[in-house]
Amino acid sequence: MATTSDELVHCVTAPGPDEAATVDVPAAHRAAHRTAVPEPAAHPDLPELAGVEDPRRVAPDDARELTRTLLARLATLEEGTRAYSYVRATLIELNLSLVRFAVRRVGNRREPEEDLIQVGSVGLIKAIDRYDPDHGAEFVTFALPTILGEIRRHFRDATWAVHVPRRLQELRITLAKARDVLFQRLGRAPTVAELAAHLDLSQEEVIEGLAAANGHTAGSLDAPVTESEEDPGPLAQRLGEEDSRYDTVENLIVLKPLVAALPERDRQILSMRFGEELTQSQIGARLGLSQMHVSRLLGRTLKHLRADLTAT
């Protein structure tokens, strides 16, 4: 059962600077069960939070002002103390709406929204840990790119159906951007050669990147094609068809010894008619026979082979 974003930020602990730079959702989840942060309530050392019962219910304007105040206060606290953890957890709760905004901004990526909120919350935690009030930038301006970067990193690293090297993952994104640029410029989809020239890559590298893009998503053969009642069934039942060329191969294998048993002249006629694709008149001229005689010999040979093939 997935941990909700509210549970995550309620329980998250204060990692060190190095830990914050590499934390992932499962790690944050595990940390959640090691040390619980106290519920927001009146704190003797934090008069800024007097009267704030639930940071998630603070109005947006008040949340921005309170965030500014708490970030300045967080910079004065010693990391690892109860007060530091308390202020940090309150800042996370105050700014969860920023995470939800970032999730809506990236759009629907076939990922559960709750999972994306957890990933975005990790980005929010990193932004809080790295923010320096002395730089003068607004926290939202600093935090939003960090949150979006964490979500996009999740898409890049964790949502591929097939494991693909990082180099090819990044090449896929580069190719997608290049195709958009060239489509606007050319008015049509660019060729592999045009993509290679635009990106200063070899055509082999472009083809490799385009092939790697097929590993990003995968569909189930057992999934229905549509939700309609007239749906013909899973995709697996609609793929493939009988290949008549297998029958041709089997016939050739069976015919080989039958043809080898024919008289020399009959084999020559078959070879010239079906191998060299000569006409009956051309065959007759080469063997010194009339076209009528060649027709009778060819018909007799084919009838004999057909009978032997049917008998086997």
Side-chain angles (χ1 to χ4, degrees):
M1 178 174 166
T3 304
T4 66
S5 59
D6 291 339
E7 291 171 342
L8 176 64
V9 297
H10 263 298
C11 302
V12 69
T13 58
D18 295 337
E19 183 182 354
T22 58
V23 67
D24 57 11
V25 172
H29 189 182
R30 290 191 298 270
H33 295 278
R34 290 198 298 267
T35 307
V37 176
E39 289 292 332
H43 195 288
D45 300 326
L46 299 172
E48 298 91 343
L49 295 177
V52 179
E53 296 181 358
D54 188 347
R56 292 164 294 179
R57 299 181 181 275
V58 176
D61 291 340
D62 295 336
R64 281 194 294 271
E65 185 61 33
L66 186 55
T67 294
R68 190 178 298 111
T69 302
L70 290 180
L71 285 169
R73 181 61 181 271
L74 188 69
T76 66
L77 297 174
E78 182 181 353
E79 188 173 335
T81 63
R82 182 173 181 271
Y84 182 94
S85 299
Y86 184 90
V87 172
R88 185 168 174 269
T90 304
L91 281 167
I92 295 170
E93 294 186 354
L94 278 172
N95 292 278
L96 271 180
S97 59
L98 192 60
V99 174
R100 296 189 176 93
F101 171 79
V103 170
R104 291 194 299 269
R105 182 168 173 177
V106 298
N108 183 11
R109 302 283 190 121
R110 296 183 179 180
E111 287 285 301
E113 181 179 353
E114 195 59 46
D115 290 352
L116 295 183
I117 289 176
Q118 289 194 21
V119 174
S121 297
V122 174
L124 175 61
I125 293 170
K126 291 181 178 181
I128 292 172
D129 291 339
R130 297 170 182 173
Y131 180 74
D132 186 353
D134 294 335
H135 285 173
E138 285 289 334
F139 177 71
V140 172
T141 306
F142 176 81
L144 187 57
T146 306
I147 297 170
L148 288 171
E150 196 68 27
I151 295 174
R152 287 167 180 152
R153 188 177 299 109
H154 170 74
F155 287 135
R156 185 190 67 192
D157 297 340
T159 61
W160 284 73
V162 178
H163 177 70
V164 174
R166 176 70 59 81
R167 175 181 64 85
L168 294 179
Q169 294 179 16
E170 295 173 349
L171 179 58
R172 166 183 169 269
I173 298 174
T174 303
L175 287 172
K177 294 178 180 178
R179 276 188 296 186
D180 292 341
V181 171
L182 291 177
F183 184 86
Q184 294 294 329
R185 182 184 304 171
L186 303 173
R188 58 173 173 80
T191 64
V192 170
E194 290 167 340
L195 285 169
H198 179 74
L199 296 173
D200 195 22
L201 298 172
S202 67
Q203 294 190 31
E204 290 74 15
E205 289 175 306
V206 172
I207 293 173
E208 187 180 21
L210 294 174
N214 296 328
H216 189 263
T217 58
S220 172
L221 293 177
D222 296 325
V225 180
T226 66
E227 299 296 333
S228 171
E229 294 182 358
E230 300 179 357
D231 193 329
L235 183 61
Q237 297 181 7
R238 303 178 59 193
L239 292 176
E241 59 183 9
E242 292 185 4
D243 192 340
S244 60
R245 291 175 296 180
Y246 285 115
D247 293 336
T248 302
V249 172
E250 291 178 358
N251 291 336
L252 289 174
I253 293 174
V254 175
L255 275 173
K256 187 175 181 179
L258 300 179
V259 172
L262 292 173
E264 176 66 22
R265 187 174 64 174
D266 290 347
R267 292 202 306 272
Q268 286 183 333
I269 293 174
L270 286 177
S271 175
M272 288 185 284
R273 180 68 185 92
F274 298 105
E276 302 179 43
E277 297 185 350
L278 301 179
T279 64
Q280 294 179 2
S281 298
Q282 291 171 327
I283 295 172
R286 183 177 294 186
L287 296 178
L289 302 172
S290 67
Q291 181 271 332
M292 186 65 68
H293 192 187
V294 171
S295 177
R296 285 197 298 268
L297 290 174
L298 184 61
R300 185 189 64 187
T301 301
L302 293 177
K303 181 179 180 180
H304 173 71
L305 290 175
R306 190 176 296 110
D308 288 348
L309 185 63
T310 304
T312 56

